Amino acid sequence: MNLVRRPRPPRPPLRSLTGSPAQILLLCCSFALAGYAGVRLLDGDWWGVALWFVGAALLHDLVLLPLYALADRAAVRGLGAVGRREWALYVRVPAAFSGLLLLVWFPLISGRVDERYRSVAGLSPDGFLTRWLLITAVLFGGSALLLALRVLRSATKRRSSDVH
Amino acid sequence: MRDLAPRLPSSPGFWRSPLRGPRFTSVLGLVLLAGITVLFVTGLLSYAAYNPGLSPVNDKTPDKGLLGFYLFSWPTDPPWLYRLTQGVHVTLGLALVPVLLAKLWSVVPRLFTLPPVRSLAHGLERVSLLLLVGGALFEFVTGVLNVQLDYVFPGSFYPLHFYGAWVFFAAFVAHAVLKAPAAVRNVRSMRDARRRPDAADRAADGLVAPAPDAPTVSRRGALWTVGGGSLLLLGTSAGRSFDGPLRATALLAPHGGAEPGGGPNGFQINKTAAYAGIDAAETSEEAWRLVVVGPAGTVRLARADLLRLPQHSAALPIACVEGWSTSDQSWRGVRLRDLAALAGFDGAPPDVFVESLQRRGAFRHGALRANQVADPRSLLALSVNGRTLSPDHGHPARIIVPAAPGVLNTKWVARMTFGGLG
């Protein structure tokens, strides 16, 4: 009789293939509901809807995000090259805020819904671009002012510490 | 050393931001958990506010099935109910855009992790994440485009945004159940120094950059920036829920800024008479007749006849599904329940089916429920703020009902059929 005890594997191999059964159950419930609504969502122009649904995720993850991440990295590198890496925030924040407003209100700012806006709502579609540019100017101007104050204060501090 | 720098996004070293980590993601995740829950609830309320169960003309999603399980008779009190729920839905949605973007940025390395599937559960979770991210973006994009009248999405807004919301919500609930406990733990640990997760824990999470760049902003600073973006969107759009100087603060939002002209009729218009295809000849004193149909037969009333009926006043707002609303306007006209009595309903008034002269628009017909008809503030209005209705506000007569979505306040009313809906 062989009494040598074999060491028990830490997990049954099946479990490592499937993962948590509770998680599988939860996700199956989620898919059931998503499927029930999804069939109705796709009733009609199913290709267009699927394209928008998946395309939104791909466009964001593979185009929009890399673009702004690269722009940010380029700005930080550029400032780093002139020895002003700590100024990054003063460029990044106004640029991000301005870009955010453009992203959200692009149809109005770009003027692509001008005609419909005027005829449907009886309101003037002019001025969205001007107001966005003004807000952008205020954001960058305010940021530049804060930076100037910071540079001035650190210069004053340096001078006063030179005196003592 | 540089040659060894990882070039592929699938290697952890590719990601350099020192901000990424379970804490940053957890804070944003918990904000979205609360915010999106409010969006979902206010969205379902807006769906119920149309009374889709009442009549096919109110129902843009006739195959909703079980998804309409919770529908109820939309109340008329408080009169600002829809103004509040829909204002919150749209304005909060706009304010959450930067939070959503920051959250997606914070977890993007996970998109590229290898191996793509570790187990069945992990594979299913990744499919679910496609529904989560695709669904969130689909809902935000269709909503943001719709309030700007940019109807480029593939179909009618109502079914797309409604069914899309349920697909998204299914994935959102699963994600919240799987992740919220850890997120709460992470946020608590930020306040409690003794419970700081050790380095091994943080690295196992897969979000912390193994070779981060030197920081240019603290985590707190980054969170403040995201919050600042939210405040900026809130500040430049919330004003469209009010009249006068407050509306002028909504600098970039549609129906923000200036009012359409001055005077008593100078408040926001959903659809102009010209757009709706209303011909001045058919609304003239001689040509226009209101047809009231009921068990008592068919009654035809000129505007002068309506003015001879008892006149009542009501101070009520107009609140649009697009999230903008007006302050209370002072409407004056005939009570809907008096018209119901004229049609032969002396006791409790029934539902009513309202038809407009307008040539186009999904809501040129609308149905109102008995409780809406019975409310003493529900009027067939002939004037507003002491002046005859302007063509754009529905001259010769329009419906105004407390707490109802704007499009159910039918303008240029031509025919009202009482009873026979249920």
Side-chain angles (χ1 to χ4, degrees):
Chain A
M1 221 161 140
N2 189 356
L3 285 176
V4 178
R5 225 185 253 169
R6 267 188 254 159
R8 272 182 65 179
R11 275 203 303 184
L14 181 68
R15 177 69 186 267
S16 73
L17 282 177
T18 61
S20 153
Q23 184 172 334
I24 292 172
L25 186 68
L26 172 74
L27 289 167
C28 286
C29 292
S30 162
F31 289 142
L33 175 57
Y36 187 84
V39 169
R40 288 155 175 80
L41 178 67
L42 295 171
D43 184 34
D45 180 7
W46 68 270
W47 172 246
V49 173
L51 202 66
W52 270 65
F53 207 95
V54 179
L58 292 181
L59 207 63
H60 172 271
D61 287 354
L62 302 179
V63 179
L64 179 68
L65 193 147
L67 274 183
Y68 74 70
L70 280 176
D72 185 71
R73 195 174 279 197
V76 173
R77 288 249 169 93
L79 287 167
V82 294
R84 298 284 184 220
R85 203 166 175 279
E86 72 280 7
W87 288 7
L89 217 54
Y90 294 88
V91 179
R92 186 188 282 146
V93 173
F97 284 7
S98 168
L100 181 67
L101 290 176
L102 180 65
L103 181 75
V104 170
W105 301 122
F106 181 75
L108 284 170
I109 291 173
S110 67
R112 48 180 273 111
V113 293
D114 271 10
E115 217 167 295
R116 192 182 289 132
Y117 190 66
R118 193 192 299 278
S119 74
V120 170
L123 294 166
S124 164
D126 309 325
F128 284 104
L129 175 64
T130 316
R131 289 199 288 272
W132 174 69
L133 287 173
L134 281 175
I135 293 173
T136 303
V138 168
L139 287 169
F140 275 97
S143 188
L145 197 68
L146 285 176
L147 178 60
L149 284 175
R150 177 180 140 164
V151 170
L152 205 68
R153 202 185 313 154
S154 66
T156 327
K157 211 179 280 171
R158 212 176 308 126
R159 209 172 312 137
S160 61
S161 63
D162 284 351
V163 173
H164 295 294
Chain B
M1 278 305 280
R2 263 204 99 66
D3 293 337
L4 297 174
R7 294 286 165 84
L8 288 174
S10 52
S11 83
F14 178 85
W15 305 96
R16 306 300 289 265
S17 174
L19 285 176
R20 282 202 187 89
R23 291 174 173 185
F24 189 63
T25 297
S26 297
V27 173
L28 297 169
L30 290 178
V31 172
L32 286 177
L33 175 61
I36 286 177
T37 303
V38 174
L39 290 186
F40 187 69
V41 171
T42 50
L44 290 190
L45 287 176
S46 176
Y47 184 69
Y50 279 76
N51 280 328
L54 176 62
S55 157
V57 295
N58 288 18
D59 192 359
K60 303 303 165 197
T61 52
D63 57 354
K64 58 191 170 299
L66 296 173
L67 301 179
F69 73 94
Y70 68 94
L71 288 175
F72 55 94
S73 297
W74 187 249
T76 54
D77 262 309
W80 39 261
L81 181 61
Y82 192 68
R83 191 179 172 200
L84 175 75
T85 61
Q86 196 57 12
V88 166
H89 183 75
V90 175
T91 310
L92 178 64
L94 290 168
L96 286 178
V97 168
V99 186
L100 177 69
L101 292 177
K103 170 70 165 60
L104 292 177
W105 173 84
S106 78
V107 292
V108 74
R110 289 252 177 88
L111 180 66
F112 301 94
T113 44
L114 291 177
V117 174
R118 289 195 304 267
S119 64
L120 178 63
H122 182 239
L124 291 177
E125 192 189 349
R126 297 207 73 175
V127 174
S128 177
L129 285 176
L130 175 65
L131 296 183
L132 183 77
V133 176
L137 292 168
F138 184 81
E139 287 302 289
F140 275 80
V141 170
T142 51
V144 163
L145 289 175
N146 188 63
V147 303
Q148 297 177 77
L149 318 179
D150 197 356
Y151 309 125
V152 286
F153 30 77
S156 159
F157 175 70
Y158 291 92
L160 290 183
H161 203 64
F162 176 69
Y163 294 131
W166 277 104
V167 173
F168 166 63
F169 191 69
F172 175 76
V173 170
H175 189 66
V177 170
L178 291 175
K179 302 291 185 183
V184 171
R185 248 190 338 268
N186 285 331
V187 170
R188 283 214 181 119
S189 76
M190 286 164 73
R191 274 182 281 165
D192 187 350
R194 285 165 301 175
R195 294 172 59 184
R196 275 176 192 281
D198 57 40
D201 262 4
R202 288 164 55 87
D205 189 81
L207 290 175
V208 178
D213 285 340
T216 52
V217 60
S218 65
R219 186 179 64 225
R220 185 175 296 235
L223 287 172
W224 275 112
T225 307
V226 176
S230 289
L231 279 179
L232 182 68
L233 278 167
L234 189 72
T236 52
S237 32
R240 64 208 279 274
S241 297
F242 307 91
D243 284 349
L246 274 176
R247 185 177 302 276
T249 64
L251 288 169
L252 290 175
H255 291 271
E259 299 291 354
N265 273 286
F267 55 95
Q268 295 296 312
I269 300 156
N270 180 32
K271 291 201 172 42
T272 60
Y275 181 80
I278 302 299
D279 186 350
E282 54 186 347
T283 60
S284 70
E285 200 69 52
E286 303 78 48
W288 183 80
R289 295 289 180 273
L290 173 71
V291 181
V292 178
V293 183
T298 300
V299 187
R300 293 167 66 84
L301 298 162
R303 196 163 181 280
D305 301 327
L306 285 168
L307 282 167
R308 276 193 289 275
L309 293 172
Q311 301 291 302
H312 296 274
S313 295
L316 297 171
I318 290 184
C320 184
V321 68
E322 291 160 12
W324 58 267
S325 55
T326 72
S327 303
D328 283 354
Q329 310 295 329
S330 176
W331 307 91
R332 195 161 172 80
V334 183
R335 278 182 177 155
L336 295 187
R337 65 185 192 193
D338 290 350
L339 290 171
L342 206 64
F345 289 94
D346 282 324
D351 309 329
V352 64
F353 177 59
V354 185
E355 294 165 79
S356 167
L357 287 174
Q358 71 190 91
R359 299 283 183 281
R360 53 172 162 167
F363 284 90
R364 60 188 185 280
H365 303 150
L368 298 170
R369 208 184 281 279
N371 68 312
Q372 295 173 311
V373 177
D375 194 292
R377 295 162 297 181
S378 297
L379 303 178
L380 180 72
L382 304 170
S383 62
V384 66
N385 301 324
R387 199 72 63 84
T388 301
L389 290 173
S390 69
D392 286 338
H393 283 301
H395 177 80
R398 76 169 297 166
I399 302 286
I400 186 78
V401 170
V407 285
L408 290 180
N409 295 316
T410 309
K411 298 195 277 192
W412 314 290
V413 175
R415 189 182 176 94
M416 301 175 73
T417 308
F418 286 93
L421 274 181

